[in-house]
Amino acid sequence: MASQRIADMTLDELNQIIEDTVDRRFQVWSRPEEKRSVFEILDFIEKHRIIPPPGSKSALEMLREDRDA
C-alpha cells in the first residue's frame, strides 16, 4: 500500500486495512489457549465454587435490599 495517511487512501485501501486488522485480532482471539477438557474445567469450577455460610442472605434478598434502599 502506497498511502500513509487515511485521508489519502482509497476506500479499497482502507477496507483492506480494516479487514487485515480484524483478521489478525480474530486469529489471536480464536487460538485455543486451554488444554484442559470440558470435564476438567467443570470439575475445577465445582471444586472452587463459593459456598456462602449457613444463614447468609440469598442473592435475591440482597438485590431486594439494594432496590428498596
Side-chain angles (χ1 to χ4, degrees):
M1 173 177 22
S3 302
Q4 294 298 321
R5 293 179 24 173
I6 291 177
D8 297 333
M9 291 182 189
T10 65
L11 184 56
D12 290 335
E13 289 173 329
L14 180 59
N15 283 333
Q16 187 60 50
I17 289 176
I18 293 169
E19 288 174 16
D20 292 344
T21 303
V22 169
D23 288 344
R24 269 195 322 274
R25 290 189 181 190
F26 182 72
Q27 288 172 357
V28 169
W29 176 78
S30 66
R31 261 188 246 143
E33 295 178 15
E34 191 61 58
K35 302 295 183 197
R36 297 183 291 175
S37 69
V38 173
F39 175 76
E40 291 171 320
I41 294 170
L42 292 174
D43 187 49
F44 177 85
I45 292 171
E46 182 71 29
K47 288 179 181 175
H48 294 87
R49 178 177 290 162
I50 296 173
I51 301 173
S56 62
K57 296 179 184 176
S58 70
L60 179 60
E61 290 171 322
M62 289 188 279
L63 286 170
R64 285 181 175 159
E65 281 182 2
D66 283 348
R67 179 195 64 197
D68 297 338

